[in-house]
């Protein structure tokens, strides 16, 4: 997709691409703590995230577009988060779910908790709550889809180059 | 080159090929790393398994990926604030975490909750147990490849969560228990709603029996796998359903002699299973869901009237002293050892969580099992990562 990266795709085509992209988000679940159960509840019959076009069960981060960091991120867990984030192909999006992932939450003065996963990975949407209800996660996904529809594709696709050694 | 020399060379070459084939066929040890981010580990647990072919020689769980420093944090919080934190230790059955801490504080302050508060506390405790164990039943089946059961589990778990939410305002973390009683009385119509939800939970148990319990694949993968004998279970300090599945009839709800809960007023039974394998652990927990529904129904029938809060000063100061209270949580025996120096907050709190012991036995059980059994054993031991690392 060299054309997309250089920004030379005409508007109708980018609009079409964005529409198809936003309804096929493969969500990699980074379930860490309490929020992981609420995230799972969002995938299950009552809330059913799949009707928004989000497929919650990719086999690996290499197949996914969306990372949902849900729960308390500790300093010991932060390096694997960065590592798996880097394995995801561009363009990729991050939802930070719950107070702990946003800013440390109730563990704001703990010695072992990373205060905010935005120190480790760039976050697109923050979901407040401790834990947020599944509806809140659904709203975050709708907001993210709006963002995908309106964003400059070239900007987003110009990710870090892949270096083979 | 003479003929004999050529024969000699051929013989050497033959030996060499033989040797190479032998080297290729020889199985070398392999180290398999599972986690820390893996769906089979309920969160962030890492398992390092040394394999010989398909068999596990040694497996070691590596914890600490969810360590949030609870015991240090509670030292800088006031007594009522700690409730919020304690909720989040075992996040699936949140209300049950509050109870032992509150009971320890009440023991130190020498106050007792009124009978109505005690009964409601017990009801919510059992609802938290249902929420926890229903998730286990669905999750156990999910780990063995049956997604349908997990869908049913989450569907029926929502009914219980709705009850907790309408009573306390918190869907997940109720934060409802107070020193000396409860925050509020039950809302109007709650008792009928609970009865209706318990019918759904009973139906869920029957559905699980139809879907999972008798399933041939499920039985083949769980029966005789991961057997924990009674003496090993005791020496590793297992508690809860893991211990009862090894045939030991021990339940703190009955044997603990806890004053702040109303288990003595109801008629119920402790379920045990003699086998000690993965199936036994699943079966015991499934019966416990039914028993919890049974206990709740009885308590709803004879809910005493009266106040829900004892006389407690507005600013809580717990007098100096030490107390240890253990209750039977969904995962096992959970205890709080509270040392107070008479301040606004505790001097030191030691938290004994059941999951840490439940995972400790994993390296013993996993010796000699096959690789797919790792998942079965982990699922059946049932731990919550926040409960292990705190």
């Amino acid at each position: 997709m060299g054309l997309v990266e250089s920004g030379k795709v005409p508007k109708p085509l980018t609009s079409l691409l964005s529409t198809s992209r936003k309804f096929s988000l493969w969500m990699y679940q980074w379930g860490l703590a309490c929020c992981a159960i609420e995230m799972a509840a969002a995938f299950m019959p009552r809330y059913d995230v799949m009707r928004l076009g989000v497929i919650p069960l990719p086999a690996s981060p290499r197949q996914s577009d969306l990372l949902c960091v849900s729960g308390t991120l500790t300093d010991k867990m932060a390096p694997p988060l960065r590592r798996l984030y880097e394995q995801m192909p561009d363009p990729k999006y991050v939802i930070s779910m719950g107070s702990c992932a946003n800013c440390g939450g109730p563990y704001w003065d703990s010695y072992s908790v990373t205060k905010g996963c935005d120190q480790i990975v760039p976050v697109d949407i923050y979901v407040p709550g401790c834990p947020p209800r599944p509806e809140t996660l659904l709203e975050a996904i709708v907001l993210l889809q709006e963002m995908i529809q309106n964003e400059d594709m070239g900007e987003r696709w110009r990710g870090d180059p892949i270096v083979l050694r | 080159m003479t003929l004999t020399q050529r024969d000699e060379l051929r013989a050497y070459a033959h030996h060499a090929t033989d040797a190479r084939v032998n080297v290729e066929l020889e199985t070398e040890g392999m180290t398999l790393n599972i986690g820390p981010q893996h769906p089979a580990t309920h969160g962030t647990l890492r398992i390092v398994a040394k394999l010989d072919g398909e068999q596990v020689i040694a497996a070691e769980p590596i914890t600490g990926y969810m360590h949030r420093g609870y015991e240090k944090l509670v030292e800088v919080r006031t007594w009522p604030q700690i409730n919020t934190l304690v909720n989040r230790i075992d996040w699936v059955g949140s209300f049950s975490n509050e109870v032992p801490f509150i009971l320890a504080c009440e023991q130190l302050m020498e106050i007792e909750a009124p009978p109505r508060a005690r009964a409601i506390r017990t009801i919510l405790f059992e609802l938290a147990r249902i929420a926890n164990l229903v998730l286990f039943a669905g999750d156990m089946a999910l780990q063995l490849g049956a997604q349908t059961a997990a869908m049913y589990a989450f569907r029926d778990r929502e009914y219980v969560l709705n009850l907790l939410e309408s009573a306390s305002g918190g869907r997940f973390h109720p934060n409802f228990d107070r020193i000396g009683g409860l925050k509020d009385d039950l809302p109007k119509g709650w008792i009928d709603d609970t009865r209706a939800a318990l019918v759904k939970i009973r139906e869920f148990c029957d559905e699980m029996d139809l879907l999972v319990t008798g399933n041939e694949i499920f039985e083949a993968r769980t029966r005789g796998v991961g057997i924990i004998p009674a003496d090993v279970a005791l020496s590793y300090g297992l508690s809860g359903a893991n211990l009862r599945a090894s045939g030991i009839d021990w339940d703190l709800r009955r044997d603990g002699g806890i004053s702040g809960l109303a288990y003595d007023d109801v008629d119920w039974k402790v379920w045990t299973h003699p086998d000690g394998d993965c199936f036994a652990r699943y079966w015991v927990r499934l019966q416990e869901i039914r028993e919890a529904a049974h206990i709740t129904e009885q308590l709803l029938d004879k809910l005493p009237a009266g106040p829900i809060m004892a006389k407690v000063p507005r600013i809580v100061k717990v007098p100096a002293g030490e107390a240890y209270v253990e209750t039977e949580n969904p995962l096992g025996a959970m205890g709080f050892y509270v040392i107070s120096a008479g301040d606004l907050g505790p001097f030191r709190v030691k938290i004994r969580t059941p999951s840490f012991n439940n995972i400790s036995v994993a390296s013993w059980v996993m010796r000699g099992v096959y690789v797919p059994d790792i998942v079965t054993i982990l699922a059946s031991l049932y731990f919550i990562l926040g409960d292990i690392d705190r």
Side-chain angles (χ1 to χ4, degrees):
Chain A
M1 298 293 275
L3 281 175
V4 173
E5 283 162 39
S6 56
K8 283 177 188 161
V9 179
K11 189 76 194 287
L13 198 55
T14 43
S15 167
L16 182 68
L17 279 174
S18 295
T19 312
S20 47
R21 232 152 34 88
K22 78 175 185 183
F23 289 127
S24 64
L25 289 168
W26 284 63
M27 184 197 222
Y28 188 65
Q29 324 162 23
W30 194 276
L32 292 166
C34 333
C35 298
I37 311 291
E38 288 293 68
M39 184 172 65
F43 302 151
M44 293 296 173
R46 186 176 288 193
Y47 298 100
D48 192 13
V49 84
M50 277 196 206
R51 67 204 152 103
L52 297 176
V54 175
I55 301 159
L57 302 161
S60 123
R62 294 180 187 85
Q63 299 174 349
S64 53
D65 317 293
L66 169 60
L67 177 69
C68 185
V69 184
S70 52
T72 319
L73 184 69
T74 54
D75 289 348
K76 193 174 179 180
M77 200 59 195
L81 173 64
R82 182 72 206 180
R83 192 166 163 185
L84 264 71
Y85 172 78
E86 281 170 358
Q87 289 179 9
M88 288 166 62
D90 277 313
K92 51 194 170 189
Y93 306 90
V94 179
I95 289 180
S96 158
M97 183 186 181
S99 299
C100 298
N102 293 345
C103 62
Y107 316 105
W108 58 274
D109 52 351
S110 168
Y111 55 86
S112 58
V113 172
T114 311
K115 281 89 188 171
C117 72
D118 47 6
Q119 298 174 31
I120 312 294
V121 292
V123 175
D124 293 296
I125 308 272
Y126 295 91
V127 188
C130 189
R133 296 178 64 88
E135 291 99 325
T136 330
L137 182 63
L138 299 193
E139 197 194 347
I141 286 164
V142 171
L143 284 173
L144 183 76
Q145 286 174 338
E146 261 174 44
M147 204 187 88
I148 293 172
Q149 181 68 53
N150 299 327
E151 77 183 356
D152 177 9
M153 276 174 71
E155 184 101 344
R156 176 63 79 164
W157 284 37
R158 257 175 257 125
D160 296 329
I162 299 164
V163 182
L164 292 174
R165 292 201 180 93
Chain B
M1 195 184 277
T2 60
L3 194 68
T4 48
Q5 269 178 327
R6 196 178 290 160
D7 278 352
E8 213 170 302
L9 275 177
R10 191 179 292 143
Y12 281 139
H14 190 70
H15 280 298
T17 19
D18 260 8
R20 195 162 61 241
V21 166
N22 281 343
V23 166
E24 278 166 6
L25 283 180
E26 197 174 275
T27 51
E28 267 186 37
M30 178 191 157
T31 309
L32 179 69
N33 180 51
I34 305 173
Q37 174 61 23
H38 190 269
T41 58
H42 302 262
T44 54
L45 178 74
R46 189 172 154 215
I47 306 247
V48 178
K50 287 201 173 58
L51 307 181
D52 177 22
E54 187 76 357
Q55 266 186 322
V56 179
I57 303 169
E60 193 191 358
I62 297 171
T63 60
Y65 286 96
M66 203 17 73
H67 177 64
R68 293 163 289 179
Y70 265 96
E71 293 181 5
K72 225 50 199 161
L73 282 182
V74 294
E75 288 172 18
V76 292
R77 302 279 199 274
T78 61
W79 294 100
Q81 281 175 344
I82 292 170
N83 224 358
T84 321
L85 273 185
V86 159
N87 257 312
R88 287 156 177 79
I89 292 180
D90 160 21
W91 48 65
V92 188
S94 294
F95 185 82
S96 49
N97 300 325
E98 303 172 17
V99 176
F101 174 71
I102 293 291
L103 291 180
C105 294
E106 284 181 356
Q107 197 175 317
L108 278 175
M109 292 179 78
E110 290 173 355
I111 49 176
E112 206 162 89
R116 185 174 172 84
R118 247 184 291 171
I120 297 174
R121 214 179 249 176
T122 317
I123 291 171
L124 292 176
F125 197 104
E126 289 305 310
L127 287 180
R129 184 186 310 279
I130 292 172
N132 193 324
L133 295 181
V134 165
L135 184 74
F136 161 79
D139 193 60
M140 173 97 186
L142 181 67
Q143 309 273 335
L144 299 179
Q147 279 205 342
T148 319
M151 296 280 176
Y152 283 152
F154 270 90
R155 183 197 66 190
D156 291 338
R157 195 168 171 269
E158 294 288 338
Y159 297 116
V160 179
L161 293 185
N162 286 358
L163 290 176
L164 289 173
E165 188 183 2
S166 64
S168 67
R171 179 183 137 85
F172 227 66
H173 300 306
N175 194 13
F176 196 53
D177 218 352
R178 295 285 185 273
I179 297 172
L182 292 165
K183 179 173 166 284
D184 283 320
D185 211 332
L186 295 174
K188 200 182 167 195
W190 194 84
I191 293 173
D192 294 333
D193 290 351
T194 311
R195 284 217 177 87
L198 289 178
V199 173
K200 296 255 200 262
I201 293 299
R202 286 238 167 83
E203 280 172 12
F204 166 77
C205 291
D206 297 341
E207 261 172 3
M208 285 301 282
D209 271 342
L210 289 172
L211 271 174
V212 178
T213 313
N215 186 308
E216 205 172 319
I217 300 168
F218 184 80
E219 296 235 339
R221 285 197 63 183
T222 52
R223 276 203 195 268
V225 172
I227 296 174
I228 306 176
D231 53 334
V232 175
L234 280 176
S235 64
Y236 273 92
L238 295 198
S239 52
N242 287 344
L243 187 64
R244 289 192 283 277
S246 296
I248 296 168
D249 191 3
W250 184 75
D251 193 318
L252 277 172
R253 288 178 283 178
R254 186 192 59 196
D255 310 325
I258 303 153
S259 61
L261 295 170
Y263 286 112
D264 297 339
D265 308 346
V266 288
D267 173 40
W268 59 288
K269 181 179 183 307
V270 177
W271 290 87
T272 56
H273 198 286
D275 286 359
D277 55 0
C278 292
F279 183 83
R281 292 193 276 278
Y282 161 80
W283 186 86
V284 165
R285 288 203 176 93
L286 197 64
Q287 303 311 315
E288 277 183 13
I289 301 173
R290 289 199 172 108
E291 206 60 43
H294 185 54
I295 293 172
T296 315
E297 265 174 5
Q298 288 181 55
L299 285 167
L300 287 173
D301 285 338
K302 46 182 177 187
L303 199 59
I308 48 143
M309 194 76 183
K311 275 206 162 49
V312 178
R314 260 186 102 74
I315 296 171
V316 180
K317 270 193 184 178
V318 175
E322 298 174 10
Y324 182 68
V325 172
E326 229 178 6
T327 55
E328 182 72 27
N329 274 36
L331 295 162
M334 182 175 194
F336 280 78
Y337 186 68
V338 180
I339 304 177
S340 172
D343 288 334
L344 286 173
F347 174 73
R348 170 95 169 88
V349 174
K350 166 81 182 82
I351 308 167
R352 189 254 186 234
T353 47
S355 294
F356 188 77
N357 295 66
N358 290 357
I359 193 66
S360 304
V361 80
S363 55
W364 188 90
V365 187
M366 281 185 203
R367 284 176 316 171
V369 302
Y370 291 96
V371 173
D373 295 341
I374 295 178
V375 176
T376 318
I377 289 167
L378 286 182
S380 76
L381 282 176
Y382 195 40
F383 44 84
I384 302 286
L385 261 291
D387 207 40
I388 294 177
D389 295 333
R390 308 192 282 287

